[in-house]
Amino acid sequence: HAELCRALLRQFDVARQSTKFLLKQLIMDNSLQGQGRAHMQRQRSQYEQQLMKAKQAANNSRLRHEQQQRELIQRLRAEEGKVATLQKDMQLRDRQIAQFQ
């Protein structure tokens, strides 16, 4: 009986040590995974910030170009108005000249 008890105690001790080792490994792995997740979350946050800055820059650029386009269209219309006025003046003068000929 004593021999059997000693053998069982050794088996329990081995099982306890194995369980203790496995739990330590599990805790270390879990800790490393947590650190990895934290690192990935920081990287994701950085990428999201960079994306937001890029979108803002693109939006600002688009707004600038749209404003420039509106200004150029206004200038073009003003110049076209001047040309139309000059053409009318020339036609009027051409008619006046034609009357005296």
Side-chain angles (χ1 to χ4, degrees), residues 68-98:
Q68 288 174 344
Q69 184 180 17
R70 283 191 294 273
E71 289 172 1
L72 289 172
I73 288 171
Q74 287 175 348
R75 286 175 50 193
L76 176 63
R77 287 181 180 155
E79 291 298 319
E80 287 173 340
K82 288 179 187 177
V83 168
T85 301
L86 290 174
Q87 285 177 336
K88 286 180 184 177
D89 286 348
M90 285 180 63
Q91 289 172 354
L92 178 64
R93 289 187 181 146
D94 285 346
R95 281 193 300 260
Q96 289 173 348
I97 291 173

Side-chain angles (χ1 to χ4, degrees), residues 7-86:
L8 283 173
L9 286 174
R10 268 186 259 133
Q11 283 181 344
F12 285 138
D13 190 44
V14 167
R16 184 180 59 79
Q17 288 176 358
S18 296
T19 303
K20 187 177 177 180
F21 173 78
L22 290 174
L23 283 173
K24 283 184 181 179
Q25 284 298 115
L26 181 62
I27 289 169
M28 285 177 32
D29 289 348
N30 197 17
S31 175
L32 290 175
Q33 287 178 357
Q35 290 173 0
R37 265 187 248 118
H39 175 70
M40 293 298 285
Q41 286 174 343
R42 283 191 302 273
Q43 279 188 325
R44 181 179 178 190
S45 177
Q46 288 174 351
Y47 291 145
E48 286 174 345
Q49 289 175 358
Q50 290 174 350
L51 178 61
M52 184 172 44
K53 287 180 184 177
K55 285 181 177 180
Q56 287 174 344
N59 191 42
N60 289 340
S61 178
R62 180 184 57 79
L63 291 174
R64 267 195 318 277
H65 284 89
E66 287 174 355
Q67 179 62 31
Q68 288 174 344
Q69 184 180 17
R70 283 191 294 273
E71 289 172 1
L72 289 172
I73 288 171
Q74 287 175 348
R75 286 175 50 193
L76 176 63
R77 287 181 180 155
E79 291 298 319
E80 287 173 340
K82 288 179 187 177
V83 168
T85 301
L86 290 174

